[in-house]
Amino acid sequence: MSGQTPPTGQPHDPGAPPPTRASHADRDRTVDLLRIAAGDGLLDATELDQRLEVALTARTLDELAGLTADLPSTAASGGAAVEVKDVVRIDQQAGSVRREGRWVVPRRIELRPSWCDVTLDFTEAVITQDTLRIDMNMRGGTLLLVTGPGIVVNTESLSMSFCHGRTPGTVDPGADHTLRVELTGRFSYGRIKVRTPRRTFGQWLLRKRARQSGH
């Protein structure tokens, strides 16, 4: 097979060993690293989509390595040493911003968007501390917090004006929790939504079968 072009479409040097094929686990690890990098603000939404598309179809380890070559070593180390930022600032004007997947939760988030929907999904987030402070100066739009078991949200220190929708209130400081999300600052002309993750179709189907078998 010397001198032939491998399935990746890249010519292979006859004097070099053939490229190592990537497994599903290799692709999954790269996808996780890219999502963490996007959560840290290292990649924007367009860059993330482009790299994810390549990662999911990559055939060799060299292709995967190229997708994380320009990321900090802590992000590309496979999670051995997770870099937790002190502050992440979100100040987009209009549109939407999402933090989801395996993003690393910083110690503090500064929210400064205007007429922009912000989603913080903690379902698969990397959480390394017990408190996240979100300092808000937000006008318009919706702040959606997707929580989970052990995650509590407190709005006692948040000043809200011309807002609608049901928001969480005071949380008992002694309550057991994995992560306490403290909302402070000001929010006007918008709404805050807090919900648990939606069930997948598989989870819904299993629950439906369990109810049917109980009759």
Side-chain angles (χ1 to χ4, degrees):
M1 296 180 61
S2 176
Q4 291 185 0
T5 301
T8 57
Q10 298 297 325
H12 173 55
D13 183 356
T20 304
R21 305 281 292 195
S23 67
H24 290 312
D26 294 324
R27 297 185 192 93
D28 290 342
R29 278 192 293 269
T30 300
V31 167
D32 284 344
L33 293 176
L34 293 174
R35 286 176 173 169
I36 290 174
D40 282 344
L42 299 173
L43 301 173
D44 61 29
T46 300
E47 291 174 315
L48 177 61
D49 288 343
Q50 291 173 343
R51 297 195 188 197
L52 287 178
E53 183 176 355
V54 176
L56 293 172
T57 58
R59 294 187 178 183
T60 69
L61 294 182
D62 288 343
E63 292 178 80
L64 294 177
L67 298 174
T68 58
D70 60 343
L71 301 178
S73 58
T74 50
S77 62
V82 176
E83 180 184 13
V84 181
K85 291 192 174 184
D86 287 330
V87 181
V88 169
R89 184 184 178 96
I90 298 174
D91 56 5
Q92 182 167 314
Q93 309 301 304
S96 63
V97 176
R98 301 181 68 88
R99 295 289 185 269
E100 56 188 357
R102 283 185 57 81
W103 64 289
V104 180
V105 177
R107 296 180 178 86
R108 183 161 62 91
I109 295 177
E110 293 182 353
L111 281 185
R112 303 290 186 269
S114 295
W115 309 106
C116 174
D117 294 332
V118 178
T119 298
L120 302 177
D121 188 340
F122 298 97
T123 307
E124 301 178 17
V126 179
I127 300 172
T128 61
Q129 72 277 345
D130 63 0
T131 302
L132 167 63
R133 176 170 172 164
I134 301 180
D135 294 329
M136 300 178 61
N137 186 4
M138 185 171 174
R139 181 183 177 88
T142 297
L143 172 61
L144 171 61
L145 303 175
V146 182
T147 61
I151 299 179
V152 296
V153 178
N154 185 26
T155 60
E156 183 180 12
S157 300
L158 179 64
S159 174
M160 302 178 66
S161 58
F162 303 102
C163 294
H164 60 279
R166 186 177 180 181
T167 60
T170 304
V171 175
D172 181 3
D176 291 336
H177 63 275
T178 302
L179 178 67
R180 179 187 177 94
V181 181
E182 292 281 353
L183 301 182
T184 66
R186 302 188 302 275
F187 187 29
S188 58
Y189 301 101
R191 63 176 178 170
I192 297 175
K193 296 173 63 177
V194 178
R195 66 168 175 80
T196 55
R198 300 191 188 282
R199 294 197 303 272
T200 64
F201 176 74
Q203 292 171 328
W204 173 84
L205 187 59
L206 288 174
R207 188 166 182 175
K208 179 181 180 180
R209 288 176 177 174
R211 288 199 305 264
Q212 290 175 340
S213 64
H215 292 321

